[in-house]
Amino acid sequence: MPGQERPVFAGNWKLFGTLAESIALASEVQSGVAGTPEAKVVVAPGFLAIASVVQQLVGAESSNGGAAVAVAGQDCHWEAKGAFTGEVSPGQLVDAGCRYVIVGHSERRQLMGEVDADVNRKARAALGAGLSPIICIGETLVERDAGTTLDLVGRQLDAALAAITELDATRCLIAYEPVWAIGTGRTASPAQAEEVHRFIRARLGKTFPAAAAGISILYGGSVKPDNIRALMAEENVDGALVGGASLSAASFVSIVKEGTDVWLRS
């Protein structure tokens, strides 16, 4: 994998989990990945559970030497404060203990009407607050069938990273999520994923020539324990953004372990 220090596996829990369920899941994940220090592991619980999950993870890490599992917000606003009812600022996420935040997820784009400019403002605000943004990009089935995947992905990537310095780019992660492969049971073939990841890497190289090789590019479309090895075998797949399969500790831990094993052998 080009220049990556460690593979990254992030679990997006979306709108699932009570407070107690979120704490329990985080604890099980942490215990499960304790023997895999080579991986960076991130969980993204619902906003109300973030502080409690952080407390659980930090407490377990200090008391029994468990592996460090980082926490991400599932979204953020681009303003630090103001009259934005229902929103969460990057600073509030940092205050709650987050180190990462997901921005531009396809569900936010499709269901909440977010556009590329919004994603860029969120990414820059996240960086300004000290968070590492996991920037999501990807095409719909209509766009893939029309043969416009690379054009669309290129435009989304350029827009998301506009006005971001090369130094700040080193703190960004890119998640390629083919929308047609999210929650549908369909998955982009390893070759299809690699084609887009290779394109993203080359595109990053034009804007950030010194940083591109070290920017992690995650795959995020119906990742499961039974396909992670094939995906991670591809040169430019540096990890995964996992949805439904991250709601089971056994499933997510398996993805982390299997994916990391392939990465170590590459």
Side-chain angles (χ1 to χ4, degrees):
M1 311 300 171
Q4 268 61 43
E5 177 189 357
R6 290 188 287 169
V8 180
F9 301 93
N12 179 13
W13 297 353
K14 305 187 181 183
L15 189 56
F16 292 98
T18 63
L19 187 58
E21 289 168 343
S22 298
I23 293 170
L25 179 54
S27 180
E28 290 172 23
V29 168
Q30 185 175 48
S31 296
V33 302
T36 316
E38 302 86 358
K40 290 183 181 179
V41 181
V42 182
V43 295
F47 287 132
L48 293 180
I50 287 175
S52 296
V53 166
V54 168
Q55 185 176 26
Q56 170 64 33
L57 292 173
V58 171
E61 183 183 354
S62 61
S63 65
N64 62 19
V69 176
V71 177
Q74 295 181 17
D75 186 39
C76 68
H77 198 269
W78 53 81
E79 294 289 351
K81 60 182 65 175
F84 304 103
T85 300
E87 295 291 344
V88 175
S89 74
Q92 289 172 323
L93 292 179
V94 171
D95 194 41
C98 286
R99 291 170 51 197
Y100 297 83
V101 63
I102 300 168
V103 297
H105 192 281
S106 61
E107 291 161 1
R108 300 291 309 180
R109 293 177 187 263
Q110 290 188 309
L111 302 178
M112 311 302 176
E114 290 189 6
V115 297
D116 290 337
D118 298 330
V119 179
N120 176 250
R121 285 188 284 186
K122 290 181 177 187
R124 288 189 287 118
L127 288 164
L131 293 166
S132 291
I134 301 172
I135 302 169
C136 300
I137 57 177
E139 82 283 12
T140 65
L141 182 59
V142 171
E143 289 160 341
R144 170 158 284 273
D145 288 345
T148 60
T149 292
L150 299 185
D151 288 340
L152 184 281
V153 166
R155 289 197 303 272
Q156 289 181 334
L157 183 66
D158 291 348
L161 295 173
I164 288 177
T165 67
E166 186 150 19
L167 180 61
D168 277 345
T170 63
R171 295 164 49 206
C172 297
L173 298 86
I174 307 300
Y176 167 57
E177 45 165 15
V179 181
W180 50 272
I182 298 175
T184 64
R186 295 178 58 182
T187 308
S189 69
Q192 288 173 317
E194 173 62 16
E195 177 190 23
V196 179
H197 281 228
R198 189 187 313 114
F199 170 82
I200 292 171
R201 184 85 64 199
R203 192 87 166 203
L204 289 170
K206 294 179 180 179
T207 309
F208 309 114
I215 296 174
S216 292
I217 306 174
L218 315 183
Y219 174 75
S222 294
V223 177
K224 296 180 174 59
D226 61 4
N227 62 29
I228 188 61
R229 294 190 71 89
L231 289 164
M232 288 297 296
E234 297 295 337
E235 180 180 2
N236 290 286
V237 177
D238 306 314
L241 177 60
V242 186
S246 70
L247 297 175
S248 158
S251 175
F252 187 54
V253 168
S254 178
I255 288 170
V256 173
K257 289 181 175 292
E258 294 290 331
T260 302
D261 180 65
V262 174
W263 181 84
L264 288 170
R265 295 170 185 269
S266 63

